[in-house]
Amino acid sequence: QVQLVESGGGLVRPGGSLRLSCAASGISFSDYTMGWFRQAPGKQRELVATSTGSGNTNYADSVKGRFTISRDNAKNTVYLQLNSLKPEDTAVYYCDAHWITLHYWGQGTQVTVSS
């Protein structure tokens, strides 16, 4: 059974930081591209960042220079460091595991940026 469990969301002031974690089980983690997506109220889910098994990364333009994705293949965990947060970063953040045609999603963690 595949499980992706996110944690680390919360309420933070503009300019603040958070670190999200996603612990995976039931998959060969190092084979999977791991990603973070987000969905704000009334908007479509959008890609935030991805990391291949070998560590190549990709970011949405809106988060480049502020967010950093990383992974620990030994711990089957992917992280998203969120710095310089803005109110428009408010969303539910989802972890995604992707291999060929297989996609698995976590349940999401809420990030709210507000003063």
Side-chain angles (χ1 to χ4, degrees):
Q1 181 181 1
V2 178
Q3 281 193 313
L4 302 176
V5 180
E6 300 103 331
S7 61
L11 173 64
V12 63
R13 295 184 185 277
S17 298
L18 283 174
R19 190 192 195 204
L20 307 183
S21 299
C22 171
S25 59
I27 60 172
S28 180
F29 185 80
S30 60
D31 290 335
Y32 279 70
T33 293
M34 299 301 296
W36 288 95
F37 289 71
R38 66 186 181 186
Q39 188 166 19
K43 294 188 176 181
Q44 289 189 328
R45 191 173 297 191
E46 64 175 1
L47 172 70
V48 175
T50 60
S51 173
T52 67
S54 58
N56 293 318
T57 59
N58 182 53
Y59 295 92
D61 288 342
S62 59
V63 307
K64 280 181 182 176
R66 300 188 299 122
F67 292 6
T68 303
I69 189 171
S70 61
R71 62 192 293 161
D72 185 336
N73 287 341
K75 294 183 177 180
N76 288 1
T77 301
V78 62
Y79 305 97
L80 186 67
Q81 179 68 40
L82 295 73
N83 296 331
S84 302
L85 281 161
K86 305 175 181 180
E88 52 263 42
D89 294 318
T90 295
V92 178
Y93 284 70
Y94 296 92
C95 176
D96 164 71
H98 176 206
W99 182 65
I100 308 180
T101 59
L102 294 174
H103 269 282
Y104 300 103
W105 294 94
Q107 81 288 352
T109 186
Q110 177 71 45
V111 172
T112 302
V113 185
S114 175
S115 55

